[in-house]
Amino acid sequence: MGRGAAEEEERVMPKMKSHRGAGKRFRLSGTGKVMRRKGTGNHFLIKKSGSRKRRISGMTEVGPEARNVKRLLGQ
């Protein structure tokens, strides 16, 4: 008859869970842009020139699918 707090707790929607795969690959910048690592920088590094390795290092902004990525991140 008088469950009180336990009954109220059951009506709360479950928490949103972020997509763990997306969380490991993408970051949000301070201004809200979705950032990703540049590709082709993990293997066969001996044959790549230094200038090429510098160009592919670091982060870059995600293109038109940034809206979908933000949704996966729970934003």
Side-chain angles (χ1 to χ4, degrees):
M1 283 173 58
R3 289 205 281 173
E7 187 176 315
E8 186 65 33
E9 204 171 317
E10 290 176 10
R11 292 187 207 145
V12 177
M13 289 292 290
K15 288 184 178 181
M16 286 286 294
K17 291 196 173 185
S18 60
H19 189 283
R20 298 315 298 148
K24 294 168 188 174
R25 290 169 174 83
F26 301 103
R27 301 280 179 268
L28 288 177
S29 69
T31 57
K33 295 177 186 172
V34 181
M35 305 300 283
R36 65 167 176 86
R37 280 184 59 191
K38 293 182 183 175
T40 71
N42 289 328
H43 51 56
F44 300 129
L45 294 174
I46 299 230
K47 63 169 72 174
K48 294 175 184 166
S49 68
S51 60
R52 184 174 168 194
K53 287 188 271 193
R54 284 192 299 275
R55 189 168 58 245
I56 63 179
S57 70
M59 305 284 279
T60 187
E61 191 176 346
V62 173
E65 63 278 349
R67 184 175 173 201
N68 295 336
V69 175
K70 273 192 174 183
R71 188 173 55 79
L72 289 174
L73 293 174
Q75 297 296 314

